[in-house]
Amino acid sequence: MHTFEELKSVIAELRSEHGCPWDREQTFESLKSCLLEESGEVIQAIDHQDMENLCEELGDVLMQVLMYSQIAGEKGLFTLDDVVDGVCGKLIRRHPHVFGDAKALTPEESLALWNEIKKQEKSKKP
């Protein structure tokens, strides 16, 4: 079975100077249609309750995340580690009822807490 580390290496190799010409020429802009298509295929698999296809399509979305992160890393903008750090921090901050002392006993209370924290975070950004 392949690992996440192998997947990261495969993406880096595809983007390398001796990698795939198509993958090397991709940009944030050129990959937008791919991301949209793959996201739609995830939704379609869910709608059809096709778990085998859902697994495959989630892999394709993950590949898009890795491609975007690889391109960003090549440009010195951010890395996959930055993406992981950001989402992990966000999940912990926005779930104080799990990782802190706040209380949320229902899904509605959890969502309200998430939205309030998100609103506060967005208001602090320039």
Side-chain angles (χ1 to χ4, degrees), residues 10-67:
V10 166
I11 296 296
E13 184 69 18
L14 290 172
R15 294 273 308 164
S16 74
E17 70 178 43
H18 55 276
C20 172
W22 185 89
D23 289 295
R24 282 197 320 261
E25 77 173 10
Q26 298 313 302
T27 66
F28 295 138
E29 290 297 319
S30 70
L31 287 172
K32 285 178 11 180
S33 63
C34 296
L35 180 58
L36 187 60
E37 179 182 335
E38 298 302 349
S39 298
E41 290 174 355
V42 166
I43 292 167
Q44 202 171 36
I46 293 167
D47 288 347
H48 291 102
Q49 298 180 357
D50 183 348
M51 295 304 110
E52 184 177 324
N53 194 40
L54 177 59
C55 181
E56 179 182 338
E57 298 306 338
L58 287 172
D60 290 345
V61 170
L62 179 58
M63 178 185 65
Q64 292 297 311
V65 171
L66 287 163
M67 283 289 285

Side-chain angles (χ1 to χ4, degrees), residues 13 31 44 83 95 108 115:
E13 184 69 18
L31 287 172
Q44 202 171 36
V83 173
H95 287 90
E108 295 79 15
N115 286 330

Side-chain angles (χ1 to χ4, degrees), residues 113-126:
L113 191 55
W114 173 282
N115 286 330
E116 180 57 33
I117 293 166
K118 181 178 179 178
K119 182 178 163 186
Q120 291 170 9
E121 290 172 354
K122 298 294 181 188
S123 72
K124 292 178 185 175
K125 287 192 174 181

